[in-house]
Amino acid sequence: MAAPIAASGDLLTQRASAPHLPRRGRAGAPAMAKLGIHTNACAALTGLVTADDDRPGVCSCAFKNARALAGKHDALKVLLVVLRQVCDVSTTLCTTVLSTVKALAANEEICKAFADDGGIATMLDIIRRWTSSTRVVRADLQALRQLYIATNTPSRWTSSTEVVRADMQALRQLPIATDTPSRWTSSTEVVRADMQALRQLSIADPVKKLLAANGGIEVILELLSVHPEAEDVLEPTLGVFANMTLRLPEIVTQAVEAGAIDVIISIMAAQPNMGPVQRQFCIIVRNMVVRTTENREAFLSQDVEEMIRDAKKRFPNSCKDVGYAALRDLGLDNYND
């Protein structure tokens, strides 16, 4: 395994030390070829740390490889350099790098080292940028929609067409990724990959604290409001928040002060049919009241008990255990009903 690991690490290192890639659709064939090299290198790294043989008696080297790559070969340091270079160049590569970071974050030591190198701050910055772009595009599309509303007057249609043309020219100036047709779709892909990686990294208490100290709670609440119907964004985002609130009452208090209870409850009430989202909600409720019992009333006064019981009935395989724990730690006697 030593040779493939070294080869993969060297490949990324060579490219990470090169100048930044061209931006905003101006990447030529050589630059695109280098993007392909990055993608293939990430695939190789991910393969080395993924257990893909579940036969009895077969011992996977995935964890051993992850420790070697992150330690001796500085793979996460290299990936962080690459991530900073390509986050505005290629959404596909950005999501690939984030997925590779997630795969390599195999234990708390690796997660903490990545955070110490500035990885968490970089990932939060990426989310902020892409979330901001989503808001801009959403507002712009809403404005465009209004422009197309017919008023039964030819002059209005001509005026509208001129405005739309000018507006679309302005839209072209936005930093739209070169490899996707939709900024909205691109945003969702990057944010989802970023939150999935942060979810893995936030298994470490130092990372949780660093997230909270760098505005992670506010970023999470913003994401929940920007993507209120996207299950594939909501679930990992709530997963990060659940990790952050586990065993750390000081972060729970910070989240409450930021208005997290109302935001979380509104998501649960709006998405009763999303089983994975409901599961994360139950976990979060439990985490936010088990060591900070003063928060119980804030949840119970907003019909959270009924929501949890409904989730247990709708999704017994995924929500029964966590719903049981949430009701118990809310101080309810009939938590097992």
Side-chain angles (χ1 to χ4, degrees), residues 316-330:
N317 293 333
S318 60
C319 292
K320 185 175 181 179
D321 56 341
V322 293
Y324 164 96
L327 293 172
R328 180 196 62 206
D329 291 322
L330 280 167

Side-chain angles (χ1 to χ4, degrees), residues 258-271:
I261 291 179
D262 290 341
V263 174
I264 298 297
I265 291 175
S266 69
I267 292 295
M268 180 163 189
Q271 305 300 346

Side-chain angles (χ1 to χ4, degrees), residues 199 235 238-239 242 268 271 274-286 311 315-323 326:
R199 185 180 194 171
E235 197 276 337
L238 290 171
M268 180 163 189
Q271 305 300 346
M274 292 183 181
V277 170
Q278 294 291 312
R279 176 177 173 82
Q280 292 306 315
F281 175 82
C282 293
I283 295 172
I284 288 169
V285 171
R286 193 257 175 181
F315 312 102
N317 293 333
S318 60
C319 292
K320 185 175 181 179
D321 56 341
V322 293

Side-chain angles (χ1 to χ4, degrees), residues 18-320:
H20 283 216
L21 294 173
R23 299 169 63 88
R24 296 192 186 180
R26 289 193 271 278
M32 295 306 295
K34 290 172 183 176
L35 289 176
I37 292 173
H38 268 144
T39 300
N40 292 335
C42 285
L45 290 174
T46 301
L48 288 168
V49 298
T50 301
D52 56 2
D53 193 339
D54 56 0
R55 290 176 298 172
V58 176
C59 181
S60 171
C61 293
F63 180 70
K64 178 182 177 182
N65 288 345
R67 293 187 63 185
L69 285 164
K72 180 181 178 181
H73 297 281
D74 290 329
L76 281 173
K77 292 180 183 290
V78 176
L79 285 168
L80 183 55
V81 173
V82 175
L83 182 62
R84 288 168 175 164
Q85 291 181 354
V86 305
C87 61
D88 285 332
V89 176
S90 167
T91 55
T92 298
L93 182 54
C94 185
T95 55
T96 298
V97 173
L98 288 166
S99 297
T100 308
V101 169
K102 174 179 178 289
L104 281 165
N107 63 15
E108 185 167 331
E109 179 184 359
I110 294 173
C111 295
K112 184 178 183 302
F114 182 74
D116 290 342
D117 289 334
I120 301 302
T122 295
M123 292 172 73
L124 287 174
D125 286 342
I126 290 172
I127 293 174
R128 289 189 184 100
R129 262 183 290 172
W130 284 86
T131 303
S132 175
S133 294
T134 299
R135 283 199 178 279
V136 170
V137 173
R138 174 189 285 172
D140 206 283
L141 290 174
Q142 290 173 341
L144 285 171
R145 181 181 179 184
Q146 293 303 314
L147 290 172
Y148 281 113
I149 296 176
T151 60
N152 298 321
T153 57
S155 60
R156 171 70 174 178
W157 178 255
T158 303
S159 174
S160 176
T161 302
E162 292 173 354
V163 174
V164 170
R165 182 185 302 113
D167 196 53
M168 294 307 294
Q169 290 172 346
L171 273 174
R172 293 193 186 99
Q173 301 305 312
L174 289 173
I176 298 177
T178 61
D179 56 345
T180 56
S182 168
R183 181 67 173 181
W184 183 280
T185 303
S186 302
S187 171
T188 301
E189 292 172 353
V190 172
V191 168
R192 179 175 59 246
D194 203 312
M195 296 311 293
Q196 288 171 339
L198 279 177
R199 185 180 194 171
Q200 179 65 24
L201 291 163
S202 60
I203 61 175
D205 284 356
V207 174
K208 302 176 190 180
K209 295 175 181 178
L210 190 61
L211 275 169
N214 283 273
I217 293 172
E218 291 73 17
V219 168
I220 287 171
L221 298 182
E222 176 77 0
L223 274 180
L224 295 176
S225 65
V226 172
H227 300 277
E229 299 178 353
E231 182 175 351
D232 56 351
V233 174
L234 291 176
E235 197 276 337
T237 302
L238 290 171
V240 175
F241 190 72
N243 284 353
M244 291 177 66
T245 54
L246 179 64
R247 299 190 305 270
L248 295 176
E250 63 272 24
I251 292 182
V252 172
T253 299
Q254 185 178 342
V256 171
E257 293 173 351
I261 291 179
D262 290 341
V263 174
I264 298 297
I265 291 175
S266 69
I267 292 295
M268 180 163 189
Q271 305 300 346
N273 297 317
M274 292 183 181
V277 170
Q278 294 291 312
R279 176 177 173 82
Q280 292 306 315
F281 175 82
C282 293
I283 295 172
I284 288 169
V285 171
R286 193 257 175 181
N287 290 351
M288 294 186 74
V289 300
V290 64
R291 286 179 171 81
T292 48
T293 56
E294 63 272 19
N295 294 329
R296 289 176 176 176
E297 182 57 31
F299 283 105
L300 292 173
S301 64
Q302 299 192 57
D303 300 324
V304 164
E305 177 184 354
E306 289 75 10
M307 295 180 191
I308 294 175
R309 293 191 187 281
D310 182 62
K312 287 176 62 181
K313 292 178 182 178
R314 286 173 179 264
F315 312 102
N317 293 333
S318 60
C319 292
K320 185 175 181 179

